[in-house]
Amino acid sequence: MGTLMGVYLPCMQNIFGVILFLRLTWMVGMAGVLQSFLIVLLCCCCTMLTTISMSAIATNGVVPAGGSYFMISRSLGPEFGGAVGLCFYLGTTFAGAMYILGAIEILLTYIVPQAAIFHPSGAHDASSAMLNNMRVYGTVFLILMAVVVFVGVKYVNKFASLFLACVVISILSIYAGAIKSIFDPPEFPICMLGNRTLSRDQFDVCAKTIVKDNITVASKLWELFCHSTNLTTENCDEYFLMNNVSEIAGIPGAASGILKDNLWSNYLEKGEILEKAHHPSVDVAGQKNNLHLYVLSDIATSFMVLVGIFFPSVTGIMAGSNRSGDLKDAQKSIPVGTILAIVTTSLVYFSCVLLFGACIEGVVLRDKYGDAVNKNLVVGTLSWPSPWVIVIGSFFSTCGAGLQSLTGAPRLLQAIAKDNIIPFLWVFGHGKANGEPTWALLLTALIAELGILIASLDMVAPILSMFFLMCYLFVNLACAVQTLLRTPNWRPRFKYYHWALSFLGMSICLALMFISSWYYALVAMLIAGMIYKYIEYQGAEKEWGDGIRGLSLSAARYALLRLEEGPPHTKNWRPQLLVLLKLDEDLHVKYPRLLTFASQLKAGKGLTIIGSVIQGNFLETYGEAQAAEQTIKNMMDIEKVKGFCQVVVANKVREGIAHLIQSCGLGGMKHNTVVLGWPYGWRQSEDPRSWKTFIGTVRCTTAAHLALLVPKNVSFYPSNHERYNEGNIDVWWIVHDGGMLMLLPFLLKQHKVWRKCKMRIFTVAQMDDNSIQMKKDLATFLYQLRIEAEVEVVEMHNSDISAYTYERTLMMEQRSQMLRQMRLTKTEREREAQLVKDRHSIARLESLYSDEEDEGDPVPENIQMTWTKEKCDAEKRNRGSAVGSFRDLISIKPNQSNVRRMHTAVKLNEVIVNRSHDARLVLLNMPGPPKNTDGDENYMEFLEVLTEGLERVLLVRGGGREVITIYS
């Protein structure tokens, strides 16, 4: 099909509809010619700008069947595509309901009023009887139309041109009538009582009295107002007695100058009487029970209401793009045909507004159902040669438009269902053997029935306005996003677009939504939002190279460049994890609970990188690495870990781990904490490489100033489905390592598994420490950290404190110093605040967590230092600054000759097991490895002894910076 038959005429047919014939005259009467121009201009600008955006998208590659849905989903991604596709579907379905209601209104009001089933019992329930008639006939029509569509769409398409001919003839008859009215206006007299308009269908003569056989008798009008056939006035309506009855021309004609009266708006409240301004009248109150004799306003009107009711008469611009599959050259036809159709229809609307304002009396324009002109269709009164041309023409055109909507909507739903982005819609993808969407047609009919049950054209119009406006808004957004991102694939043939025009179109759409009905707008947005989120969570993964993907990339790049500006402040520090996973020979994850632990610690926040090393040559094992990555990703999905996966191939595992620790992450999104599995069975292993790799990794993390977490007995850790309803998380705070020990339990407790656990903090003191003061200080510190925990100070007997614990206890000097700050005066505290902020300055850092030997007296490398009380005291005297002394105090390195050190580990382990044997999790400071590699095996033994008898242990080694602060 070419441009004319394939795009121009279908668009014209879809745009011209029921509103032009049934509501445009009423809109001009209420809003006045000037405001009507503004309404038409707003709506036509909206569709014109949308068409420009749509043309750009439609000419950027081949658009298969599915039209607007296909364009938006391939430009903005499946989430937006699905949301907008369904909005467009609902809009088209409600449009079908609106056309059917329009057809019924024409049938029952103007063609065969006697066909009504329900009749008003009193004067005041006329509207409810009419609504019930609309519901019954609407449902019958809907069923008939659905059957026609089901039996054969080809018949609908064959009749399309006939229906379009009806529309064109009707419009031409309006123009002919307007021209004729200049020199020969049609006779449609209106009966006025004072300045009030009377409903003409209840009497024939417009006079109070008539002369019959030379006798003056009461007219029908007198009987209605005075309830008597003789000329008595005692029961008469006061307004009737005080005012004269007069007749004015309903259509004065284009030459009468009526235009100046119709320029300005004349909005009415519901139930107000239509009055002609400046017409002579005496203003007195009439009787309430005579209101039905006047022409009344049936709904409250305002500029906003009229925008919502008029907008459906400019929709239909997608008709051409919906047929994109059948066009000979879609990329040329869609822009040309649609833009021409909009220009044509806009000119028709503008000229009609002007003609109606110039030819028809204001009270007739405001009379929605033509009560003042003998129940004639108001547009029909102007048309030539007869009002029936428009009545019959508009009836057939609305029926045709209804059939078109019921044909188009199911196909749209079928296209969405076949894409399989909304799982629960899959059933609507099936149809008859020839591909006709049977199930989709059934759903469409049911939704259209909802619109018909509303039964009022004026109520249904704003609903479909919303859905179409949502759709147009996203078409504009799609064009703007693609243009601004300058995607390499964005090369439309249609060159007359600009992102500013798309944004303007988007703004007008949004404004029109809220102007016409803010609550419908919110509901439509809520529906679209819910569909979007549903597709995001449930929908099938689709990669359509959409613009939102590009938008995410730009945003990510911008955010990463912003992050690069400096290290995070202590307040923003959170563990960004690099989890080192071990895979077995079949590339299965050996300890999946490491992932579980990571997901519980992160609760979906921050960065998680899952790293693994495959031993071998990259050229030969590339496929294996890909398979391993896929396995890990599947495992991450199961364990609900949100993060990234990186598999490295290296000749040695230790080298691979070093590469991961150095190179994972990007810019500011780098890991600051390494999670490492414990080398189980290292004692039995013939091959010392397993624990050598472990210690090597510990050294690497320390060298890189990263924090280290080693979960021991990780297979006993809880799964994500378990819940601890009671129990404790015990923290053994022996060395202050930047607050990691405090922060980790707090983060774990954010997860539902650990939420109900209580936190306990134990600290070790010597006998001669003031343990009561220490407990108070620690409680104050925790209070100021806003962390809820029980505090316990454990005293160890002097004879039990040997090198390891003694060293550790000396480390308490630094811890005590920190606690002492809690008791500083205000001025001193302000001075100290800066110090806490800068605590992660490098000098302090190195002094805190260096693994070097004493630099004061150089010692031959092969001799391990053994600490004594005297040596420590001497050191404290020698070094004035606290900073200097800490460098020595952390070399907690068991060596082969030092049996006392192991004895200490046993004693400390006894204390921990005694207090924490039933804890859900125990967190311990992890001592650093010896500098001299000869002591590695003893170091492993030492860690084993320290953690023996504890079910779940998390060894923690700080990265040497403050990670928690008391300052807000």
Side-chain angles (χ1 to χ4, degrees), residues 305-358:
V305 170
L306 295 180
V307 168
I309 291 173
F310 177 74
F311 188 79
S313 62
V314 293
T315 60
I317 57 170
M318 301 284 190
S321 64
N322 286 348
R323 293 161 178 248
S324 48
D326 308 329
L327 295 171
K328 192 159 49 178
D329 182 3
Q331 298 195 349
K332 184 181 163 199
S333 299
I334 290 175
V336 176
T338 313
I339 289 172
L340 279 177
I342 288 182
V343 170
T344 313
T345 50
S346 302
L347 288 174
V348 169
Y349 285 134
F350 281 122
S351 58
C352 281
V353 167
L354 193 63
L355 290 176
F356 294 158

Side-chain angles (χ1 to χ4, degrees), residues 542-578:
K542 296 282 176 192
E543 177 46 78
W544 287 333
D546 48 80
I548 293 295
R549 193 70 192 252
L551 200 60
S552 307
L553 204 64
S554 294
R557 176 181 157 276
Y558 173 75
L560 279 170
L561 289 171
R562 287 284 306 275
L563 270 178
E564 193 76 304
E565 287 169 10
H569 189 275
T570 306
K571 283 186 287 194
N572 300 332
W573 194 94
R574 63 163 67 243
Q576 316 290 13
L577 301 183
L578 167 61

Side-chain angles (χ1 to χ4, degrees), residues 623-684:
E624 208 175 306
Q626 295 293 93
E629 198 163 312
Q630 199 48 53
T631 308
I632 294 174
K633 278 182 180 164
N634 295 342
M635 204 68 208
M636 285 165 74
D637 283 345
I638 293 167
E639 295 295 346
K640 294 187 173 60
V641 177
K642 288 187 171 68
F644 309 99
C645 170
Q646 196 157 350
V647 176
V648 170
V649 179
N651 289 328
K652 291 182 181 168
V653 174
R654 200 187 300 183
E655 279 175 18
I657 290 175
H659 292 326
L660 281 172
I661 288 173
Q662 288 175 77
S663 62
C664 271
L666 180 64
M669 282 289 273
K670 284 187 89 69
H671 56 278
N672 55 26
T673 306
V674 177
V675 179
L676 181 62
W678 178 259
Y680 300 99
W682 66 273
R683 285 170 171 155
Q684 291 79 29

